Amino acid sequence: ELAVALGNARAADGRGAAAARAYLDAAPEVDPAMARDLRRRAAEELLCAGRFAEGLEALTELAPGVMKMPLVAVLGVLLWEAALASVTALLLTLGLRPRPAPSPARVWPIDLTWTASSGLGHTDTIRGAALATRQVRCALGVDDSLRESRALSLQAGYLGATSSLLTGVAGLLVSRAARQAREATRPDLVAFAEGCLGYAHYFAGRWRDACATFETCRVGYLTHGVPQPWLLDRILAWKLASLVQLGRLHELGRLLPPLEEECRDRGNWFLANFLYAAEPNFYWLATQGAAAAREKLEAMRSTWITPGYTLQNVLGLIVAMQIDLYEGAGLRALARLDEERRDLRRGMFGVIEYAR
């Protein structure tokens, strides 16, 4: 009990890696069902703190089938789960399918796919999307409006990232999710739905709307409490990306220094990677020059998964090419792209409109 309480305290303080260690230490001392859930929570904390290699290892132990599946097969799973979820939704609408009450056996696959899909979104995106769709299908099969709300919101975020043509569908999912959260008086889930709508705005190029939506979500979390601090990290990260797209460098200059200190204090590799090896790297490029921006990028490479090619590599490639272009080295930027083109194709990142 003490180790679990310690894990909960560290998770509430936003120290995901430390929380995961406490959960894993406690797992051998509790009953099998609780031990399994502690391992799931550890995987979630690791993935959402940017400790992707450790998080993927923990997740693979819990769900070896889909985690070891080739990406081509994963894409097939995504399409199959989408079809099943659509049929389930239709049957529910027509009143042809009952929804049993929640039980440990029924909610476990929902919670496991929540952990996987929320954690994989910033590393193994196609697998994360497939599991987000499976989460929706599982959540629709149980009379649990809160888990359904959470699943629909996350699915909306993935849809927005996949294609701007799906923004309207994402908006419908978010509306339903937010309505369920309001009916259950769960303002944190309302804020989560808002944040997922912000992702759809961002990927559709509506950066002012995205920035405003992320701010609404952030205020909602700060006002009503955020159940897991990594949720706030995600919102802050994409708000920073929106500010970059809007050219609001002065505001970035105000926000970044305290966030850098927070990353060091909490050991938050996710947020640090986003600050230095994603869109916000442009701040240092514009204010301190190419050498400083490149140094920030290179400092984060040691935290990426090796071997392998994940979203970190994609974002790092974009940042490196941006620095090349800033220096007028267009041919060098093209050479980088050509060098990694095979990995991009193998990782199926072309499926994601934003990556293209």
Side-chain angles (χ1 to χ4, degrees), residues 54 78 99 136-137 151 161 173 180 189 194 254 265 270 292 309 311 326 330 332 351 353:
E54 299 163 78
L78 194 161
R99 300 184 73 178
V136 171
R137 194 255 301 169
L173 293 180
Q180 290 175 319
L189 287 178
E194 286 280 351
R254 178 175 58 81
D265 178 54
F270 164 76
Y309 197 87
L311 188 61
Y326 185 86
R332 188 169 68 206
V351 173
E353 183 182 63

Side-chain angles (χ1 to χ4, degrees), residues 11-52:
D13 196 33
R15 302 176 187 275
R21 285 193 293 272
Y23 290 146
L24 293 174
D25 287 344
E29 309 300 326
V30 298
D31 65 79
M34 187 174 182
R36 183 176 67 169
D37 195 57
L38 286 174
R39 289 194 292 272
R40 178 192 66 81
R41 291 163 67 184
E44 183 175 311
E45 291 294 339
L46 288 166
L47 288 168
C48 294
R51 309 299 177 108
F52 293 120

Side-chain angles (χ1 to χ4, degrees), residues 94-297:
L94 297 175
L96 300 176
R97 176 169 179 165
R99 300 184 73 178
S103 68
R106 293 189 180 110
V107 302
W108 167 252
I110 307 174
D111 290 346
L112 180 60
T113 48
W114 156 258
T115 289
S117 53
S118 59
L120 293 175
H122 284 78
T123 179
D124 192 345
T125 313
I126 300 298
R127 208 175 303 271
L131 288 164
T133 308
R134 179 174 291 179
Q135 181 191 189
V136 171
R137 194 255 301 169
C138 293
L140 289 173
V142 179
D143 188 14
D144 189 330
S145 61
L146 295 183
R147 283 184 168 87
E148 181 184 336
S149 172
R150 187 177 66 178
L152 293 175
S153 294
L154 188 59
Q155 179 76 338
Y158 271 107
L159 288 176
T162 302
S163 173
S164 57
L165 298 176
L166 297 173
T167 303
V169 179
L172 292 174
L173 293 180
V174 164
S175 296
R176 178 182 172 92
R179 183 172 67 252
Q180 290 175 319
R182 289 191 186 96
E183 289 172 355
T185 321
R186 283 292 299 271
D188 59 307
L189 287 178
V190 175
F192 180 63
E194 286 280 351
C196 291
L197 181 61
Y199 299 144
H201 285 322
Y202 181 90
F203 295 124
R206 294 197 294 268
W207 297 307
R208 284 189 177 84
D209 291 339
C211 198
T213 305
F214 289 138
E215 181 59 17
T216 299
C217 174
R218 189 186 72 87
V219 171
Y221 279 146
L222 294 178
T223 302
H224 302 291
V226 58
Q228 294 160 297
W230 62 260
L231 291 167
L232 188 56
D233 292 339
R234 298 287 173 89
I235 294 304
L236 284 170
W238 287 101
K239 180 184 176 182
L240 294 174
S242 302
L243 292 173
V244 171
Q245 301 291 358
L246 294 170
R248 289 158 59 175
L249 299 186
H250 178 74
E251 193 169 347
L252 280 167
R254 178 175 58 81
L255 294 172
L256 287 176
L259 286 177
E260 288 186 278
E261 180 61 35
E262 187 176 332
C263 288
R264 287 190 289 269
D265 178 54
R266 289 166 47 195
N268 189 335
W269 289 4
F270 164 76
L271 197 53
N273 260 294
F274 212 92
L275 297 185
Y276 301 140
E279 283 90 335
N281 179 277
F282 182 76
Y283 172 79
W284 285 282
L285 181 60
T287 60
Q288 298 179 20
R294 188 174 289 110
E295 182 182 349
K296 300 281 188 185
L297 170 63

